[in-house]
Amino acid sequence: MTTTDLALKDAMSSIEGAIGVALVDYNSGMALGTLGGGELDLTVAAAANTDVVRAKVRAIEMLNLNSAIDDILITLTDQYHLIRPLTSRSGKGLFLYLALDRNRSNLAMARHQLRRIEGDLEV
């Protein structure tokens, strides 16, 4: 099992094109940990993307879908923003947020790596 700090370091080092990564509590919108970001304020991004997760959860409930979110992808002209809710009991209400440079990343590999990191993460 991996701690939050190690999981964030793993994401930044193993995911090509990673700009920044955060572990976020979507009940409060607070980032429990961040790494990287550069010009991207990960604390603000964490709070803003909390609204995205809440909206999608509400939509799933309103549609009576018997399904859960694997991940949410937001595609910008020069970046990918990937949101992955944690599925473990200890991770309930948390999500990993990853910003990627679109020109330097492989989206399929980033999703695969983020899934692996989530699986190893213990919060």
Side-chain angles (χ1 to χ4, degrees):
M1 290 295 162
T2 306
T3 66
T4 299
D5 289 340
L6 289 175
L8 298 178
K9 287 177 185 173
D10 186 9
M12 287 300 291
S13 65
S14 70
I15 300 176
E16 185 70 29
I19 296 169
V21 62
L23 179 64
V24 184
D25 178 338
Y26 74 74
N27 293 307
S28 68
M30 293 193 59
L32 304 177
T34 63
L35 188 61
E39 293 182 18
L40 177 65
D41 186 332
L42 290 173
T43 304
V44 173
N49 282 293
T50 295
D51 292 334
V52 172
V53 174
R54 288 179 187 155
K56 193 59 194 173
V57 168
R58 276 194 312 274
I60 289 170
E61 289 171 356
M62 290 171 56
L63 295 168
N64 292 318
L65 298 176
N66 188 20
S67 195
I69 300 168
D70 276 342
D71 59 44
I72 298 169
L73 172 64
I74 299 166
T75 305
L76 305 177
T77 55
D78 59 348
Q79 295 177 0
Y80 293 122
H81 291 214
L82 194 55
I83 299 167
R84 183 167 181 86
L86 302 189
T87 57
S88 68
R89 281 178 51 197
S90 65
K92 194 85 168 145
L94 304 177
F95 66 88
L96 284 166
Y97 168 73
L98 175 67
L100 298 163
D101 180 319
R102 189 169 167 175
N103 295 317
R104 293 186 16 237
S105 62
N106 177 321
L107 185 56
M109 287 303 297
R111 291 180 73 214
H112 174 75
Q113 289 292 86
L114 203 57
R115 186 177 317 115
R116 178 191 58 76
I117 290 166
E118 181 219 345
D120 293 340
L121 180 61
E122 184 176 302
V123 287

